[in-house]
Amino acid sequence: MSEVKISWWEPTDRERQWLRRYTSSDQHKCAATGGYCNAMFELGEADVLYTKDGYIAGDRDNRKPADGDHRWPKACNACGRPFGDDDPHQLFGKQIYICEATGERSTLDKVPVGGCWDAWWISERRREGPTGSGYMVGPDHRSLVVKLPGNHDWHIDSRASNCTKPDEREHSCWVRHGRPEDGTLHVDKNGNTCAAGAGSIAVPGFHGFLHHGVLRDC
Ligand SMILES: [Zn+2]
Ligand SMILES: [Zn+2]
């Protein structure tokens, strides 16, 4: 990657769904992964369920098929151990996002490098509250995330690991300007900030800047 334009992704009211079986690792360790045994069957797309407050509902039990449904996975994907009747049956969902500029749709784990979205599940709760890295909320009361190479998610409004003012919540370790929607998103150290870095972002395999709507490695 040398440079990539920021693209803006908005949530839809649709999600991708899977039928998931798993065991919790305190009962059992997967012989292949050392974690929990896990398997998923992809169901396809469906409407996202919302609670009265507008949050995505966690309780999906009344929408999942009966435990005896033949589509539930029978055994762990990694080690082949059969699931028992007591292992959980979970209707697993991931919200679908859309890039209006291209019409492309994706879940957030698969958006391309340079994709940007608002982590509304953080910022909705902060709409009236203070802003700054200590709250994970930026000056426009959003929590913006940018997809980096290696499928790393950069929470621009979060605290940098090398923040020099860890007890001060209202500054921004990365100061952002402009908007991702119109190609002007820009991140630097020009504002109420700390001494960490120069406004760049470093993750394993990538170190770069987001200037004038373009993510560029350095
Ligand atoms: Zn297993
Ligand atoms: Zn800081």
Side-chain angles (χ1 to χ4, degrees):
M1 190 202 111
S2 53
E3 58 179 62
V4 173
K5 267 191 185 164
I6 296 299
S7 57
W8 175 240
W9 291 73
E10 294 192 76
T12 69
D13 57 4
R14 301 279 287 172
E15 67 176 26
R16 288 178 74 193
Q17 291 184 339
W18 293 261
L19 296 181
R20 180 182 180 222
R21 303 293 317 274
Y22 63 95
T23 56
S24 89
S25 57
D26 57 4
Q27 296 162 7
H28 169 83
K29 294 251 188 279
C30 177
T33 68
Y36 48 81
C37 287
N38 185 67
M40 302 214 292
F41 173 85
E42 183 164 356
L43 277 182
E45 275 190 39
D47 288 341
V48 169
L49 269 183
Y50 294 98
T51 66
K52 276 181 293 197
D53 304 323
Y55 293 108
I56 294 175
D59 178 16
R60 308 164 156 273
D61 281 357
N62 50 12
R63 282 209 300 177
K64 67 187 186 185
D67 288 0
D69 190 288
H70 70 277
R71 294 169 297 177
W72 288 106
K74 303 274 185 293
C76 173
N77 266 351
C79 72
R81 172 189 175 271
F83 292 110
D85 291 344
D86 293 340
D87 291 328
H89 294 72
Q90 181 188 38
L91 181 59
F92 185 85
K94 287 182 187 170
Q95 190 171 20
I96 294 170
Y97 279 65
I98 186 165
C99 177
E100 297 282 2
T102 63
E104 196 180 349
R105 301 163 86 252
S106 177
T107 52
L108 291 180
D109 54 320
K110 301 231 168 79
V111 302
V113 172
C116 178
W117 64 92
D118 178 20
W120 55 264
W121 51 94
I122 297 168
S123 54
E124 284 290 295
R125 288 164 218 199
R126 306 287 188 189
R127 193 181 296 160
E128 305 296 332
T131 63
S133 293
Y135 304 97
M136 291 190 73
V137 175
D140 53 6
H141 289 263
R142 298 195 288 184
S143 286
L144 296 189
V145 184
V146 169
K147 186 68 81 177
L148 301 175
N151 205 19
H152 294 286
D153 291 348
W154 175 24
H155 286 255
I156 300 172
D157 300 305
S158 70
R159 200 186 283 281
S161 59
N162 56 346
C163 177
T164 59
K165 295 193 213 169
D167 299 322
E168 202 280 304
R169 303 185 76 182
E170 302 204 348
H171 77 281
S172 297
C173 299
W174 290 280
V175 182
R176 63 177 167 84
H177 315 271
R179 292 160 50 78
E181 291 91 330
D182 60 9
T184 60
L185 184 64
H186 182 90
V187 177
D188 60 21
K189 297 291 281 185
N190 190 10
N192 178 14
T193 189
C194 59
S200 64
I201 176 66
V203 293
F206 176 79
H207 179 211
F209 287 93
L210 200 177
H211 284 172
H212 307 294
V214 175
L215 189 64
R216 189 177 282 115
D217 55 12
C218 58

